[in-house]
Amino acid sequence: MASGFAQWGNDLYTGRRSYAIVAKRRGYFLVAIVLVVLSLGVIGIRMAGGGLNLGIEFRGGSEFTVSGVSDTSQQPALDAVAAVAPEEVPRVTSVGSSTVRIQTAELSNEQVEQVATELADAYGVSTGEVTSSYIGPTWGKDVSQKAVVGLVVFLLLVSLVMTVYFRNWRMALAAVIALFHDLVVTVGIYALIGWEITPATVIGLLTILAYSIYDTVVVFDKVRENTAGVLDQTRSTYAERANLAINQTLVRSINTSIVALLPVAGILFIGAFLLGAGTLRDIALALFVGMAVGAYSSVYLATPLEVALREREKPIRDHTAKVLALRAERVEAAGDDEDAALAAAGVGAGRQLQPGEHLGNKAQPRRRRPR
C-alpha cells in the first residue's frame, strides 16, 4: 500500500500520471459557488430568525456554573431560573460529567443571589459550588470590532505580501477569493449546526485562514517555478504547466491535511463530545471544517482561478493558441500511425490525452513489431 502510494506520488510529480484539474475548473468553480451561496443562505436564514447563536461574551448577560452535580440534566436549571425570573429562557449546557453552565440575560444582584440559591437546591449541592459572573455587552462589541479589524488587516497584508513575493497580483486575488470561500463556508456550517459563536470560534476562524493561505502559497510557488519562461517554448501551455504544479503538490496537500485534521478531529470528537469541553468544541469545529475546506480550495479553486485570470492576458492567449495549433499539425502529420500520433501529441502509447494535462516527461511510445 505504501509503495503504491509512493509510486502514485512519483508519477504525479514526473507527469506520467496527471489529473486535469485546471481543464475542469468550471465544474470546481460551480461547486465553490454553490457552497458559498448555500452558506450565505443558511446565515441569512439564521439572521432573519434572530441572528446567529452568539455566546454570552458577545451578547452579554449573567452566567452560573454549578460544579459537583450528580445529574447534569437541564430541567432542574430551567425550573430554578423560572422560579426567580419567569420570563427568562436560560441556555443550559453540560460541561463534563459533573458541571452545568447556565446563561441568562442580565439579572439584578438580588436575582443573581436567588438564582444561585435555587440552583444549589435543585442540584443538591452547597451554595459554594455555584459561581456566578456578569459579562457586559460592550465587551462583546469590542471583541467583535477587533475581530473584524484583524480579519481586514490580515487580508490586506496577505494581498500585499503575495503581490510582492510572486510579483503577480492575480495570485494574490485568487488567494483572497479562496480565503473568502473558506471563511463563508465555515461560518455557514457553523450556523447550520447552531453551536454558539464564542471568542474561541473567532480564534479558530483566523487560524484556518492562516492554514489555507500557507497551503495555497506552496502550490503557487510551484506554479511560478513551472511557468517560468513558458512563453519561450511551444510544447505546453500555461494552463498545462500550472496543472502539473497542482499534481506535483497534490500528495503534499493530502499528507499535510490528514496530519493536521487528525489531532483536530481528536479534540472535536473526543474532547468535545465525550468530555464535554465546550471551549474545545467551539474552536475544534471551526478548525476542522476550515482546514478541510481550505485543503479543497488550495487545490481546486485558487490555482484554477489564477489560470483563468492569466488566460485573459493576450500574450498567454496567443501562446496557448500557438501551442495547440502546432500540436494539431504534428498529430495530423503523423497520419494513421496511432503511436506516432500519440507521440506527436506528447503522450505515451496506451494513454488518452486529457484536456489541460501536462504533456512533458511522458513515456516513449512503443514500437510496432513487424508482422
Side-chain angles (χ1 to χ4, degrees):
M1 179 67 70
S3 61
F5 184 78
Q7 182 61 44
W8 176 68
N10 183 68
D11 289 345
L12 288 176
Y13 193 86
T14 59
R16 284 190 290 269
R17 183 192 299 267
S18 182
Y19 297 101
I21 296 173
V22 171
K24 298 178 181 179
R25 59 181 178 270
R26 291 186 178 179
Y28 300 126
F29 291 167
L30 180 61
V31 171
I33 292 173
V34 170
L35 289 176
V36 170
V37 171
L38 290 177
S39 298
L40 291 176
V42 171
I43 296 172
I45 293 174
R46 288 288 187 183
M47 296 299 291
L52 299 175
N53 187 14
L54 299 178
I56 193 173
E57 295 87 356
F58 294 103
R59 68 178 187 275
S62 300
E63 182 177 75
F64 302 86
T65 303
V66 185
S67 306
V69 303
S70 57
D71 181 14
T72 59
S73 59
Q74 298 184 6
Q75 194 58 46
L78 297 175
D79 296 338
V81 174
V84 178
E87 73 286 353
E88 181 63 33
V89 180
R91 299 184 182 186
V92 184
T93 56
S94 299
V95 182
S97 59
S98 61
T99 303
V100 179
R101 183 177 62 191
I102 303 95
Q103 297 177 346
T104 68
E106 181 182 356
L107 301 176
S108 65
N109 293 335
E110 182 180 354
Q111 287 177 318
V112 169
E113 293 178 0
Q114 292 176 353
V115 169
T117 302
E118 293 288 343
L119 288 172
D121 294 339
Y123 284 102
V125 299
S126 64
T127 54
E129 298 294 332
V130 182
T131 60
S132 63
S133 61
Y134 170 72
I135 299 176
T138 54
W139 189 87
K141 183 179 179 180
D142 187 53
V143 171
S144 302
Q145 291 177 346
K146 289 183 177 179
V148 173
V149 171
L151 177 61
V152 173
V153 172
F154 175 82
L155 294 178
L156 290 176
L157 288 177
V158 164
S159 302
L160 178 61
V161 171
M162 291 193 65
T163 302
V164 173
Y165 179 72
F166 290 109
R167 299 177 183 176
N168 185 348
W169 63 267
R170 297 160 193 82
M171 286 187 173
L173 178 60
V176 170
I177 293 176
L179 289 178
F180 174 79
H181 165 271
D182 300 343
L183 184 63
V184 171
V185 173
T186 303
V187 175
I189 294 178
Y190 216 97
L192 179 64
I193 296 177
W195 286 1
E196 284 188 346
I197 297 179
T198 65
T201 307
V202 176
I203 294 172
L205 292 175
L206 295 177
T207 302
I208 64 171
L209 294 181
Y211 176 86
S212 178
I213 195 64
Y214 168 74
D215 209 23
T216 301
V217 166
V218 171
V219 181
F220 278 175
D221 198 52
K222 196 63 180 176
V223 171
R224 181 179 63 172
E225 177 185 336
N226 287 359
T227 58
V230 65
L231 300 180
D232 299 330
Q233 52 81 49
T234 57
R235 182 171 180 80
S236 54
T237 65
Y238 183 91
E240 291 165 350
R241 293 284 185 92
N243 192 75
L244 174 62
I246 298 177
N247 282 269
Q248 289 176 327
T249 56
L250 186 59
V251 172
R252 176 214 164 271
S253 297
I254 294 174
N255 289 338
T256 55
S257 297
I258 292 176
V259 170
L261 286 173
L262 283 178
V264 175
I267 295 174
L268 178 61
F269 296 105
I270 298 177
F273 292 110
L274 297 183
L275 301 180
T279 302
L280 290 179
R281 184 187 70 174
D282 297 340
I283 192 172
L285 178 62
L287 289 175
F288 185 83
V289 175
M291 286 182 177
V293 175
Y296 171 84
S297 67
S298 64
V299 174
Y300 296 98
L301 182 58
T303 302
L305 183 58
E306 191 272 338
V307 172
L309 293 173
R310 287 301 299 268
E311 287 188 338
R312 298 173 65 88
E313 300 176 5
K314 189 176 186 304
I316 298 295
R317 289 202 312 270
D318 293 344
H319 177 263
T320 299
K322 179 180 180 181
V323 170
L324 296 179
L326 291 175
R327 188 177 298 162
E329 292 176 2
R330 290 195 297 266
V331 172
E332 184 178 358
D336 296 331
D337 190 329
E338 179 183 358
D339 286 353
L342 289 171
V347 184
R351 293 194 57 221
Q352 295 294 324
L353 180 63
Q354 301 178 12
E357 183 180 11
H358 176 67
L359 303 178
N361 302 322
K362 300 298 181 182
Q364 294 298 321
R366 66 179 183 274
R367 296 182 179 180
R368 294 184 180 275
R369 296 180 179 178
R371 299 181 178 178

